[in-house]
Amino acid sequence: MDEKYKLLISELGENRVKKNADVTEFLQTKLGGLASFSYIATSEKELINVILICHELKINFLIIGSGSKIAIGSNGFLGLVIKNIFIWSFFIVLL
């Protein structure tokens, strides 16, 4: 997983990818555990790019919007949690 972390950093930026991230800050319930990695997508382009990178590297990912209807178990999430903070209308990613 460390090699995948290095590849994520090289593609997305060291200051943008957090390792062993507490994702409760993304959830309204504030319940949950750690994720292997987290990333905040600020544009449609960034969101599509990070999804394609995860697919290429075979990294599990979870996209969170407002975080109001989701919970992450106390064991955490093995993969990348993506917080989507941009307003979007519609897009399709074909993998």
Side-chain angles (χ1 to χ4, degrees), residues 5 17 28 47 63 68 75 90:
Y5 176 63
V17 179
Q28 288 187 5
L47 183 60
I63 301 171
S68 64
N75 290 338
F90 182 76

Side-chain angles (χ1 to χ4, degrees), residues 11-12 39 44-54:
E11 292 291 325
L12 302 172
Y39 176 79
E44 180 178 357
K45 183 179 177 180
E46 284 184 1
L47 183 60
I48 291 169
N49 186 45
V50 71
I51 291 169
L52 292 174
I53 290 168
C54 286

Side-chain angles (χ1 to χ4, degrees), residues 21-27 29-38 62-64 67 69-82:
D22 180 3
V23 293
T24 59
E25 66 186 81
F26 298 158
L27 309 175
T29 62
K30 303 297 183 200
L31 300 173
L34 300 177
S36 302
F37 317 108
S38 71
L62 173 65
I63 301 171
I64 296 176
K69 295 183 175 102
I70 191 165
I72 295 177
S74 58
N75 290 338
F77 181 76
L78 185 59
L80 178 67
V81 172
I82 304 164

Side-chain angles (χ1 to χ4, degrees), residues 49-59 61 94-95:
N49 186 45
V50 71
I51 291 169
L52 292 174
I53 290 168
C54 286
H55 179 70
E56 181 181 322
L57 297 177
K58 297 183 179 8
I59 295 173
F61 64 92
L94 300 174
L95 301 177

